Amino acid sequence: NFTLANTSAMNISGLTKPTGGVTNFPTGFASYTIGSSTTVRYNMAGDQVVTGGSSITYANLQLLNNTKTVSGSPLIINGALTLNTVVADLSGVDVTLLGSIGNTGACTLTNNQTFTLDANNTNQTIGAGATYNFNNLVIAQSVTPTAARTKTIATNITVDGNFTATNAGGSSVLLNIIDLQTNTILDGSPSGTFTLSSNVRLNVGGATASEFQTTLNNFTTIALDATTANQSRVRFNNGTNATTQVIPY
């Protein structure tokens, strides 16, 4: 059995990206136990392959330098994902992230499958400063929260497929709040479905609310929950601009 415990940090600094997708992450163990306060850091100054798969659940994962790809689906990260001057090409696998995404330097994150942000009963952020290219993006609250939780989109992002926000255990008070701030969800050409499920609220902070209209225009189908008790909500909440906020329809 392989165990990484307490606040241990493991640096994986060897092997350039080979044709077969091999990495020097420890292999051959019957099971992997990676503690919730640990960090695994792929930091070679060259291309590397990140080991994924259902048997490995990372706590905090850090990707540094050059291009990092993934071998093995899904890629599960129960802590934070930190990018540092890296092209994180996480394509070909589904990704589940329970923490936030932070970045330093010029970073790009790409995923062509389904990328799920599911912070269990806590806030979560897609950090500013990087370029994000998603196919399907899910922002979920899969457990009953003890208070309203905010998932912040701190920069423009691209979603080529579907955008879905859910709140399985929430209520009209225990909301999953998607804070778009003054940013936009972009797409090269309109496609996919934009979904705000029950007990989800989208905050739009731009002075003209054009970010919301531009976001909707990037999808071919809009699905907003309109049930009386649990409807989704859109809040136009610009509070710093003296002009009237224009609500698109």
Side-chain angles (χ1 to χ4, degrees):
N1 299 328
F2 176 86
T3 300
L4 191 66
N6 301 319
T7 58
S8 301
M10 181 172 70
N11 289 344
I12 300 176
S13 306
L15 292 184
T16 56
K17 176 182 173 183
T19 302
V22 179
T23 172
N24 61 340
F25 185 89
T27 61
F29 292 92
S31 66
Y32 292 83
T33 302
I34 299 178
S36 60
S37 298
T38 64
T39 299
V40 175
R41 183 180 298 116
Y42 289 83
N43 65 345
M44 181 181 177
D47 296 348
Q48 277 183 297
V49 178
V50 175
T51 298
S54 58
S55 64
I56 298 171
T57 298
Y58 292 98
N60 300 305
L61 179 63
Q62 298 182 0
L63 307 179
L64 296 79
N65 308 319
N66 292 71
T67 298
K68 310 304 183 201
T69 56
V70 183
S71 176
S73 185
L75 176 63
I76 304 171
I77 308 164
N78 278 354
L81 173 61
T82 302
L83 311 176
N84 190 331
T85 318
V86 68
V87 175
D89 185 1
L90 309 184
S91 295
V93 304
D94 292 328
V95 180
T96 298
L97 174 65
L98 271 62
S100 293
I101 306 174
N103 58 82
T104 302
C107 301
T108 299
L109 187 154
T110 300
N111 177 257
N112 65 359
Q113 300 297 310
T114 297
F115 195 107
T116 301
L117 294 163
D118 189 2
N120 290 324
N121 195 26
T122 190
N123 300 331
Q124 199 168 20
T125 299
I126 298 176
T131 299
Y132 298 97
N133 301 300
F134 299 105
N135 179 39
N136 299 315
L137 178 62
V138 178
I139 302 182
Q141 179 64 58
S142 61
V143 301
T144 301
T146 57
R149 301 302 179 190
T150 300
K151 315 302 172 67
T152 301
I153 300 174
T155 188
N156 294 333
I157 62 174
T158 297
V159 177
D160 288 327
N162 301 320
F163 175 89
T164 306
T166 64
N167 188 6
S171 68
S172 59
V173 175
L174 305 177
L175 295 169
N176 185 10
I177 301 171
I178 313 302
D179 190 1
L180 193 58
Q181 299 184 337
T182 60
N183 301 305
T184 302
I185 300 174
L186 304 168
D187 188 356
S189 59
S191 63
T193 300
F194 179 89
T195 301
L196 298 183
S197 299
S198 59
N199 301 313
V200 172
R201 188 178 82 204
L202 178 71
N203 286 355
V204 181
T208 65
S210 62
E211 298 86 1
F212 182 59
Q213 184 67 72
T214 301
T215 292
L216 295 188
N217 289 345
N218 285 319
F219 297 89
T220 55
T221 303
I222 310 300
L224 307 180
D225 190 305
T227 56
T228 302
N230 302 311
Q231 72 265 29
S232 57
R233 302 157 172 83
V234 178
R235 173 177 287 185
F236 299 92
N237 62 347
N238 175 266
T240 59
N241 194 291
T243 64
T244 300
Q245 193 172 25
V246 178
I247 300 175
Y249 63 90

